[in-house]
């Protein structure tokens, strides 16, 4: 499940960006939380009945859509994105991958697998927010 979460979320993560931890240990812990946490939540939180899952999915993906609009691509001090063309390209890719994740939730039947798309997208979207940057003591790269 963890490998599936990694494969599913990587294109979304690359296009949206997100904060980076300041140490290797912090990065390791953060990565484990992101991918193992996604797998854990997906296995143990079940949305029943099915329409409830779709309501939750709609709410989460609406939130993610607006966070992409506000913050993506979220760059870092070490890898700033100064080019407007590159920023626009990554933002468009973020919307595309968000849409693909949403379609996957609708059509993938095993609940655990579709939940990986839901929780993984939500958890990663949190990493692009100003709150996440503040908590991690990171700075957006283009602001430096």
């Amino acid at each position: 499940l963890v490998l599936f979460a990694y494969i599913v979320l990587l294109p979304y993560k690359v296009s949206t960006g997100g904060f980076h931890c300041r140490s290797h240990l912090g990065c390791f812990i953060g990565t484990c939380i992101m991918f193992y946490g996604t797998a854990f939540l997906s296995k143990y939180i079940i949305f029943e009945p099915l329409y409830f899952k779709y309501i939750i999915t709609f709410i989460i993906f609406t939130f993610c859509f607006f966070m992409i609009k506000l913050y993506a691509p979220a760059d870092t001090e070490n890898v700033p994105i100064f080019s407007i063309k590159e920023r626009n390209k990554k933002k468009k890719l973020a919307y595309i991958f968000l849409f693909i994740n949403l379609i996957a939730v609708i059509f993938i039947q095993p609940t655990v697998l579709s939940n990986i798309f839901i929780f993984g997208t939500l958890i990663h979207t949190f990493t692009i927010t100003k709150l996440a940057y503040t908590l991690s003591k990171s700075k957006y790269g283009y602001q430096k």
Side-chain angles (χ1 to χ4, degrees):
L1 287 179
V2 174
L3 180 60
F4 182 76
Y6 182 76
I7 292 168
V8 163
L9 296 174
L10 194 57
Y12 184 68
K13 180 175 178 8
V14 168
S15 62
T16 58
F19 73 85
H20 287 257
C21 297
R22 295 185 177 260
S23 69
H24 293 295
L25 178 62
C27 182
F28 176 74
I29 292 169
T31 300
C32 286
I33 289 170
M34 180 174 290
F35 295 114
Y36 283 98
T38 297
F40 179 81
L41 290 173
S42 298
K43 186 173 180 181
Y44 293 106
I45 296 178
I46 306 299
F47 300 113
E48 293 289 334
L50 191 57
Y51 71 84
F52 182 66
K53 177 180 183 175
Y54 293 136
I55 291 169
I56 293 295
T57 300
F58 176 77
I59 291 168
I60 288 172
F61 279 81
T62 301
F63 168 77
C64 294
F65 180 87
F66 286 110
M67 293 300 104
I68 290 172
K69 182 172 177 53
L70 291 173
Y71 301 119
D75 57 354
T76 64
E77 292 177 283
N78 295 337
V79 187
I81 305 170
F82 293 116
S83 166
I84 292 173
K85 184 177 179 181
E86 181 70 17
R87 294 186 79 72
N88 289 338
K89 177 183 167 188
K90 286 189 176 244
K91 187 177 288 264
K92 287 176 187 173
L93 284 172
Y95 284 125
I96 290 168
F97 291 123
L98 179 67
F99 182 72
I100 290 169
N101 288 355
L102 174 61
I103 295 301
V105 168
I106 293 168
F107 289 107
I108 291 179
Q109 290 306 312
T111 301
V112 174
L113 298 181
S114 64
N115 282 357
I116 285 174
F117 285 94
I118 296 169
F119 292 120
T121 302
L122 178 64
I123 290 169
H124 181 69
T125 299
F126 174 74
T127 70
I128 70 172
T129 65
K130 294 246 186 213
L131 176 62
Y133 271 74
T134 301
L135 292 175
S136 68
K137 298 179 182 169
S138 298
K139 294 180 184 173
Y140 283 96
Y142 72 92
Q143 292 177 339
K144 184 175 178 185

